[in-house]
Amino acid sequence: MGLVGGEENKNGNEDGVSGIQLVSKNKYKRMDFDVTDEDVTFPNEGMTDRNHNTEKFVFACAIFVSLNSVLLGYDVGVMSGAILFIQEDLKISEVQEEVLVGLLSIISLLGSLAGGKTSDAIGRKWTIAFAAIVFQSGAAVMALAPSFEILIVGRILAGVGIGFGVMVAPVYIAEISPAISRGSLTSFPEIFINLGILLGYVSNYAFSGLPVHISWRVMLGVGILPSVFIGLALFVIPESPRWLVMKNRVEEARIVLSKTNESKREVEERLAEIQVAASLANAEKYEAKAVWREMINPSPSVRKMLITGCGIQCFQQITGIDATVYYSPTIFKDAGIKGNTQLLATTVAVGLTKTLFILIAIFLIDKVGRKPLLYVSTIGMTICLFGLSLTLALLGNEKLGIVLAIIAVCGNVAFFSVGIGPICWVLSSEIFPLRLRAQASALGAVGSRVSSGVVSMSFLSVSRAITVSGTFFVFAVISALSVVFVYTCVPETKGKTLEEIELIFQNERGQQTSELEMGDSERLVQKE
């Protein structure tokens, strides 16, 4: 290599530091910025400890931010059992039951719509805090509700809080995570949703023996407990570095990046990338109205992003996963299982399966990739949904039918959890450019919540019209269509930075990846 303003090392080597040139006694030159010798980390010199500490810090942030998702999961799981006792205690009709179950998903779209603007205004961190406060207020109202009308008020509050939470958590994690582990970490909210569902099922079973007028109140009230941990989390997690750069708080962003990246060089590189992305957004003065205007009248690349992000969110729900979770007691009752205790015990098995396979997905998502897991997930769900439909139609109230129905339901939630469940949130948080990310992710979350609400609020009525078996046949057909959607609309984003992913949608043939990597290589060895 050539020298820059200094004498060559007598031995003509680079002291074992690849790509770093000796300039003077205590100064090195790399790329386009200078670093002193204290910035240079030699092989095996303190890197192991720093890597370990960085990984632990990012992991802890992902865990704490995902606690909001426990609230959503718990509400979904606990309501599947609590509704049995609410119906008996408050004497609500079947239509009121559907409204109570599905209203949360519909109302949560309000939180998701407001969540994008709120997270851009006050930051990702404090939006997470606000989401927890609103949800906990709703949970408390529901637990103390003396009537169906007050129960609905609490449900509305809880729905708004969930809307904020499901939108902002994946965005925060995507913005704070290194590219190599972003997929695994961004799927944490889905893992915690599953954990919450399992806890809800266990709560149902544990408190089912209490008097009817007390049992459902205790079931709903236990959901308030996670707020304590969310409060503690706010003292640990930092603000998103990308949001800080957008607000011209560059030094604070550098401090955060120093905790989430392994070297000072990498910190400066990531900061430079974020500043470029943020400067584009600021230069074009993207206010909320301008952002929505761009999404309403999108460029070809943004249109592709919206189709992919919103489409995967909708397919995640219209394949019937929330109907399976909310109404699993109804499904198993149709298969032939009798008694509330037996029904709730069976749902615990479903919750365990769902949680186990989401943990498997965490280890595979950044190794196997997004698209292969989506294929396995959607094809597997299609087979299980067809199987469940045939079982309920041909073997209802038979012992074999009960066994096959349990296997089909557990298989469906397993394939969901290993693919489209977590990957849906990963993709929707990483495919949009910085200027659109919060609002576009909010739009995708709205699609998810509306789809969930429509399915949840119509399941009992549709099942009465075309039978439970017929309803799941429809879900199976929709699941088959999701396989086609994955093939035609979803790109592979494994291992790419958020800025590289944006280029995928700007190039129809997807050749930009190799070109970008070649450009990076040339830049790294560029001589002054």
Side-chain angles (χ1 to χ4, degrees):
M1 291 189 180
L3 296 177
V4 184
E7 295 182 357
E8 184 175 356
N9 188 305
K10 291 182 180 180
N11 296 326
N13 60 44
E14 295 175 352
D15 295 338
V17 183
S18 176
I20 300 178
Q21 298 171 308
L22 188 60
V23 178
S24 62
K25 186 174 181 180
N26 292 316
K27 201 170 188 180
Y28 297 87
K29 181 82 173 178
R30 182 181 178 101
M31 291 179 58
D32 297 326
F33 56 88
D34 295 334
V35 293
T36 60
D37 55 357
E38 66 181 10
D39 294 327
V40 179
T41 303
F42 291 87
N44 302 321
E45 185 179 319
M47 287 299 294
T48 301
D49 290 340
R50 180 171 177 81
N51 292 352
H52 186 59
N53 291 335
T54 298
E55 291 172 358
K56 286 198 299 183
F57 181 77
V58 176
F59 183 82
C61 288
I63 290 285
F64 284 127
V65 170
S66 301
L67 288 175
N68 258 332
S69 299
V70 173
L71 305 177
L72 170 59
Y74 184 84
D75 183 272
V76 171
V78 79
M79 189 55 72
S80 68
I83 194 67
L84 301 175
F85 302 97
I86 292 173
Q87 189 177 37
E88 184 178 348
D89 184 28
L90 300 182
K91 310 300 181 186
I92 63 176
S93 66
E94 189 176 86
V95 173
Q96 288 176 314
E97 180 181 349
E98 285 183 317
V99 170
L100 183 62
V101 170
L103 184 64
L104 182 138
S105 295
I106 295 293
I107 293 299
S108 65
L109 73 88
L110 299 176
S112 293
L113 281 172
K117 185 175 181 179
T118 302
S119 66
D120 279 346
I122 66 174
R124 306 341 185 192
K125 174 178 177 177
W126 295 110
T127 301
I128 292 168
F130 179 73
I133 293 171
V134 175
F135 177 88
Q136 298 302 338
S137 300
V141 171
M142 286 192 292
L144 300 173
S147 65
F148 176 76
E149 290 74 19
I150 301 300
L151 194 59
I152 288 294
V153 172
R155 196 76 170 154
I156 291 173
L157 286 173
V160 172
I162 283 175
F164 275 95
V166 299
M167 173 264 147
V168 72
V171 171
Y172 176 90
I173 297 173
E175 292 185 345
I176 202 171
S177 304
I180 193 172
S181 59
R182 188 180 60 248
S184 297
L185 295 174
T186 310
S187 63
F188 271 28
E190 183 66 22
I191 293 175
F192 278 75
I193 288 175
N194 284 271
L195 177 60
I197 290 172
L198 176 59
L199 292 175
Y201 284 156
V202 171
S203 176
N204 288 338
Y205 182 72
F207 300 118
S208 61
L210 295 175
V212 171
H213 67 286
I214 294 178
S215 58
W216 65 269
R217 298 180 187 278
V218 176
M219 292 173 184
L220 296 178
V222 169
I224 299 174
L225 296 179
S227 62
V228 177
F229 298 100
I230 294 174
L232 294 174
L234 296 176
F235 293 98
V236 176
I237 64 173
E239 183 53 83
S240 160
R242 285 176 170 81
W243 182 82
L244 291 170
V245 170
M246 287 177 65
K247 297 300 180 181
N248 295 318
R249 294 159 62 176
V250 178
E251 287 306 315
E252 293 177 58
R254 181 178 282 110
I255 293 172
V256 175
L257 287 170
S258 69
K259 298 178 180 179
T260 60
N261 291 274
E262 296 175 357
S263 66
K264 292 184 179 180
R265 175 183 60 79
E266 189 173 346
V267 168
E268 295 303 324
E269 288 178 354
R270 297 288 81 79
L271 185 60
E273 290 177 356
I274 295 170
Q275 285 178 303
V276 169
S279 65
L280 291 175
N282 292 333
E284 298 174 23
K285 298 180 180 179
Y286 273 95
E287 298 178 352
K289 291 182 180 178
V291 170
W292 286 112
R293 192 157 51 241
E294 179 176 0
M295 290 193 291
I296 292 172
N297 185 26
S299 64
S301 61
V302 172
R303 184 180 298 111
K304 293 176 188 176
M305 295 174 187
L306 290 171
I307 291 173
T308 299
C310 296
I312 198 71
Q313 289 273 14
C314 291
F315 271 112
Q316 185 204 45
Q317 293 298 329
I318 60 178
T319 48
I321 187 63
D322 274 6
T324 304
V325 174
Y326 274 126
Y327 297 107
S328 52
T330 300
I331 297 168
F332 292 131
K333 184 182 293 185
D334 196 67
I337 298 177
K338 308 298 181 183
N340 287 344
T341 302
Q342 289 79 7
L343 288 172
L344 296 178
T346 309
T347 61
V348 173
V350 176
L352 283 170
T353 303
K354 206 168 185 298
T355 303
L356 173 63
F357 278 84
I358 194 69
L359 293 176
I360 293 174
I362 251 313
F363 295 105
L364 296 179
I365 194 169
D366 280 319
K367 295 181 180 180
V368 176
R370 280 62 154 160
K371 201 159 185 173
L373 286 180
L374 282 174
Y375 281 133
V376 171
S377 176
T378 51
I379 293 172
M381 288 170 62
T382 302
I383 294 171
C384 290
L385 289 168
F386 273 123
L388 180 59
S389 175
L390 291 174
T391 297
L392 295 176
L394 303 176
L395 299 172
N397 294 310
E398 296 183 18
K399 187 173 182 180
L400 177 61
I402 293 174
V403 173
L404 291 178
I406 293 173
I407 292 173
V409 171
C410 289
N412 182 45
V413 299
F415 281 114
F416 176 88
S417 292
V418 84
I420 196 170
I423 292 174
C424 162
W425 298 106
V426 174
L427 283 174
S428 63
S429 64
E430 68 185 4
I431 64 174
F432 297 107
L434 179 60
R435 68 180 185 277
L436 303 176
R437 187 169 299 139
Q439 302 289 8
S441 296
L443 185 62
V446 167
S448 171
R449 294 299 89 205
V450 170
S451 301
S452 171
V454 169
V455 170
S456 301
M457 295 179 75
S458 63
F459 179 79
L460 293 178
S461 298
V462 172
S463 296
R464 192 187 316 109
I466 64 173
T467 74
V468 176
S469 172
T471 304
F472 277 96
F473 181 83
V474 174
F475 288 147
V477 172
I478 296 173
S479 184
L481 293 176
S482 72
V483 180
V484 179
F485 176 82
V486 169
Y487 176 77
T488 56
C489 298
V490 179
E492 181 57 72
T493 58
K494 181 187 72 170
K496 295 179 175 63
T497 66
L498 298 177
E499 289 70 29
E500 289 172 341
I501 293 171
E502 183 177 351
L503 294 180
I504 293 177
F505 291 91
Q506 295 174 359
N507 188 313
E508 292 183 359
R509 297 184 180 181
Q511 298 298 320
Q512 81 300 322
T513 301
S514 59
E515 293 172 0
L516 181 65
E517 290 173 351
M518 179 64 70
D520 284 345
S521 299
E522 292 174 353
R523 179 168 58 86
L524 286 171
V525 297
Q526 185 178 18
K527 302 176 184 180
E528 280 199 3

